Amino acid sequence: MRTKKITFIIVLILLIICLFNFVSSKTSVFENIFETKTKEIKNGNTKSNKSAKSKRSKTKPTTKKSNDTTDSNTTVTESTTTIDISPETDDTTTSESEEPTTSTEILVPVEPDTTSTPTTITSTTATITTRSSTSNTTKSTTKSTTRSTTKSTTTSKKTTKKTTKKTTQKTTKKTIVSTSYDEEYEVIENRYDVNYIKVTIYKVVTYSDNTTTRTKYDEYYRYDYQNYNATTAELKAEATEVVNSNMSIYERGLQRVNEYRAAAQVDPLVLDEDLCVAATIRAMEMAYSNTFGHYRPNGDIFSTVLTDLNISNNGAGENAAGGQLTIDEVSTAWYNSSGHRQNMEYSYYTKIGIGRYALPHNPSKIYWVQIFIF
């Protein structure tokens, strides 16, 4: 920027010097012309006019004063022609290297009228007017400065925002103090004081700022067996319905047992419906109490169910199993067990009852029961 300014000043100075030399050369030519004309006037007129002297003194001529040597009143007037060299400037141009424009006035002499009186010589010096485009340069400088300032301000704002966000994140960062799990229970069904419930587990996280979050972690269904408390009379109605729906299964079970008895040369058994109800009640007791064995949930021996149902007998035996899906599968399992096989082949038994029960919401949990009497 400074280099452009210095170059501009040097060019301006050189231009002024050239113009000055040009004007000086023209002025010397004019002086020679004026001197020649003055001599001619002196030779033609021996007397000078006083009024011409006073006019010359008022007009401040730049040439030598003429002597009062002429007799006639002759006025020599120098007319001027102004040439304005002023190129149009473009206000929209903002380049600082733009050269200055100048306006020059040049004086051109005109032949004097020797017939007029008095003689007056008027001379005007050359005028040099310099115009510069300083305003445009100032505008461009101001615009560029403003833009750069705005950009820097915007950048600083963005930086400030980013810094603030990072600082906030660091400040509000929480740490986990403890983690625990809560359970919620919803009862879906209740049978014989046994609840089938939906269990929802929630994860509870406590943070360092004493805030907590609780989100769902898991969900499952289960039976709550701990409150089971059902009597034979309460179970009998459902057991009777189950027997009626499963009679074909029970008949298949009877067939398998009699095959084993025939192989052992023992008389076949008779399938008794009341015994099937008793065997089904025993399967239901084990299913709803989540127990397995030959004792009832209240601690009594299995044969007490026969007493509750008024089934007379001289002796009774029981086989129990759990988890097998079909009657053939459970019959084979019993036959392969010596104690259970002995009950199936015992020659004193004359009647058999078979029971099967699966929990409504857990059909894979199946209990099987055989009751023998004589």
Side-chain angles (χ1 to χ4, degrees), residues 38-225:
T38 303
K39 287 180 181 181
E40 289 177 356
I41 292 169
K42 284 181 179 181
N43 293 331
N45 301 295
T46 56
K47 293 182 179 181
S48 62
N49 197 315
K50 290 182 180 181
S51 60
K53 289 182 179 180
S54 62
K55 287 182 180 181
R56 282 197 300 272
S57 62
K58 289 180 181 179
T59 55
K60 296 181 182 180
T62 56
T63 57
K64 294 181 181 180
K65 294 181 180 180
S66 59
N67 296 323
D68 299 333
T69 57
T70 57
D71 292 334
S72 62
N73 294 328
T74 303
T75 302
V76 178
T77 302
E78 184 180 298
S79 65
T80 62
T81 300
T82 303
I83 301 174
D84 189 2
I85 306 173
S86 177
E88 295 181 358
T89 59
D90 187 0
D91 291 339
T92 60
T93 304
T94 58
S95 174
E96 293 182 3
S97 63
E98 182 182 358
E99 295 185 359
T101 58
T102 59
S103 176
T104 307
E105 293 180 358
I106 303 173
L107 303 180
V108 180
V110 180
E111 293 293 330
D113 187 4
T114 56
T115 59
S116 62
T117 58
T119 302
T120 302
I121 300 173
T122 303
S123 175
T124 304
T125 58
T127 303
I128 299 173
T129 304
T130 303
R131 299 175 186 174
S132 65
S133 58
T134 308
S135 60
N136 291 336
T137 303
T138 305
K139 285 181 182 178
S140 66
T141 305
T142 305
K143 286 181 180 178
S144 61
T145 306
T146 304
R147 287 175 183 172
S148 62
T149 305
T150 304
K151 286 182 180 179
S152 62
T153 305
T154 305
T155 304
S156 64
K157 284 182 180 179
K158 289 181 180 178
T159 305
T160 304
K161 285 181 180 179
K162 289 180 180 178
T163 306
T164 305
K165 285 182 179 179
K166 287 181 179 179
T167 305
T168 305
Q169 289 175 356
K170 288 181 180 178
T171 304
T172 58
K173 186 178 181 181
K174 299 182 293 186
T175 57
I176 297 175
V177 176
S178 64
T179 302
S180 60
Y181 297 91
D182 289 343
E183 290 186 354
E184 285 188 358
Y185 306 95
E186 180 184 355
V187 177
I188 306 300
E189 185 180 43
N190 180 281
R191 287 190 180 190
Y192 314 114
D193 293 331
V194 174
N195 293 324
Y196 180 68
I197 60 177
K198 173 185 176 182
V199 182
T200 305
I201 303 175
Y202 293 92
K203 182 179 181 181
V204 181
V205 179
T206 304
Y207 296 94
S208 56
D209 60 352
N210 294 326
T211 59
T212 59
T213 58
R214 191 170 184 262
T215 56
K216 186 176 179 180
Y217 180 76
D218 197 6
E219 178 182 282
Y220 65 94
Y221 296 83
R222 67 176 178 84
Y223 279 97
D224 183 9
Y225 306 102

Side-chain angles (χ1 to χ4, degrees), residues 18 21 23 31 39 42 44 47 90 120 151 153 161 169 187 213-215 231 259 273-274 280 286 294 327 329 331 371:
C18 291
N21 292 333
V23 172
E31 287 178 354
K39 287 180 181 181
K42 284 181 179 181
K47 293 182 179 181
D90 187 0
T120 302
K151 286 182 180 179
T153 305
K161 285 181 180 179
Q169 289 175 356
V187 177
T213 58
R214 191 170 184 262
T215 56
T231 64
E259 288 175 357
E273 189 172 340
D274 290 337
T280 301
M286 285 186 276
H294 298 293
I327 188 64
E329 185 179 352
S331 297
I371 293 180

Side-chain angles (χ1 to χ4, degrees), residues 257-266 335 341 345:
V257 170
N258 284 335
E259 288 175 357
Y260 299 145
R261 291 177 70 88
Q265 299 180 354
V266 178
Y335 184 78
R341 180 178 177 180
E345 294 178 349

